[in-house]
Amino acid sequence: MNREEREGPTDGAAPVPPESPPAWSTLGQNIGTPPPYSDENDNFLPSYEDLPQKKVDLPPYQEEQPGEESFMRTHHVRDFMAAADQLGTDSVFILCFLICFLFNWLGYIICFCLFTSVAARCGAISGIGLNLVKLLLILKRCTFENPQMIQAQQYMQIHEIQYMLLMTLGLLVLVFGILRYNSAKSAVRRTLLLPRYM
């Protein structure tokens, strides 16, 4: 292209307007922006009284009567949340189980004082049951130098029935805590599955 074609005709013809920027470069700049404020525009703005009154047809206002369904729905959710809070989680059950298993009666008292959920209480009961089994096995199988422990070991050897009853009691307490926690979990799940109006 030569210079004359690029600049356009120089002989008195109307000049060619410069090219406008591409559409993507101004995208979003002018959309939704108000015109710049000036005192001249202030004279053309209508006052509140000058605006036309537009009526909108709305349905008549009715106070919402708390029906039985909404009442039951809110109470169902509230009851479920309270039951879930009182139930606890599996991790709390395992934590309390291990604390009671490792720290004996001291761990049992700590768990009952610090935690109020069903999971914590059942975990503590199960941990005490397994702790009793552990102590009986230690007493039966190990050799001791302490005279009191030697007498307790001899007593257990003489009274084998009492040893077996205590072992069975420890296992039953362990199983009782686990079954009680599982039944509490299933009861909470059942309340979740119940219809809201029941």
Side-chain angles (χ1 to χ4, degrees):
M1 292 178 80
N2 59 19
R3 188 175 184 186
E4 289 178 5
E5 289 177 5
R6 271 186 272 142
E7 293 179 2
T10 56
D11 59 337
V16 177
E19 291 184 24
S20 62
W24 57 266
S25 67
T26 59
L27 186 65
Q29 290 179 357
N30 296 328
I31 298 175
T33 57
Y37 177 77
S38 68
D39 289 332
E40 298 167 2
N41 290 342
D42 193 26
N43 297 334
F44 298 115
L45 293 175
S47 66
Y48 181 75
E49 292 82 18
D50 296 338
L51 291 175
Q53 297 293 328
K54 292 184 180 179
K55 288 191 173 185
V56 179
D57 292 332
L58 294 175
Y61 176 73
Q62 295 177 354
E63 285 192 25
E64 191 173 315
Q65 299 285 336
E68 186 177 333
E69 183 177 332
S70 65
F71 176 77
M72 293 304 286
R73 180 173 53 242
T74 56
H75 283 283
H76 174 75
V77 171
R78 189 180 317 145
D79 291 344
F80 175 71
M81 295 301 288
D85 286 343
Q86 290 174 356
L87 177 66
T89 60
D90 292 341
S91 58
V92 172
F93 178 84
I94 293 171
L95 174 73
C96 290
F97 176 82
L98 290 176
I99 288 174
C100 289
F101 179 69
L102 296 176
F103 297 110
N104 302 337
W105 294 103
L106 182 64
Y108 184 76
I109 293 170
I110 288 171
C111 288
F112 261 72
C113 290
L114 292 181
F115 300 103
T116 59
S117 65
V118 174
R121 302 283 168 97
C122 293
I125 289 171
S126 297
I128 281 296
L130 192 61
N131 185 26
L132 180 61
V133 171
K134 175 189 75 168
L135 290 177
L136 289 172
L137 287 175
I138 289 172
L139 191 62
K140 181 84 170 177
R141 305 284 180 205
C142 294
T143 57
F144 300 104
E145 295 180 9
N146 186 348
Q148 291 177 343
M149 295 301 286
I150 292 172
Q151 287 177 356
Q153 195 172 27
Q154 290 171 354
Y155 181 82
M156 285 296 187
Q157 289 172 353
I158 294 171
H159 302 283
E160 190 71 28
I161 294 175
Q162 289 179 353
Y163 173 77
M164 294 307 290
L165 285 175
L166 286 173
M167 185 75 78
T168 306
L169 178 69
L171 290 173
L172 285 176
V173 169
L174 168 69
V175 171
F176 171 74
I178 293 171
L179 291 179
R180 186 171 174 197
Y181 176 59
N182 283 335
S183 68
K185 270 196 338 188
S186 64
V188 169
R189 287 182 184 151
R190 273 196 305 268
T191 58
L192 176 65
L193 296 176
L194 282 175
R196 292 180 178 168
Y197 49 87
M198 287 186 77

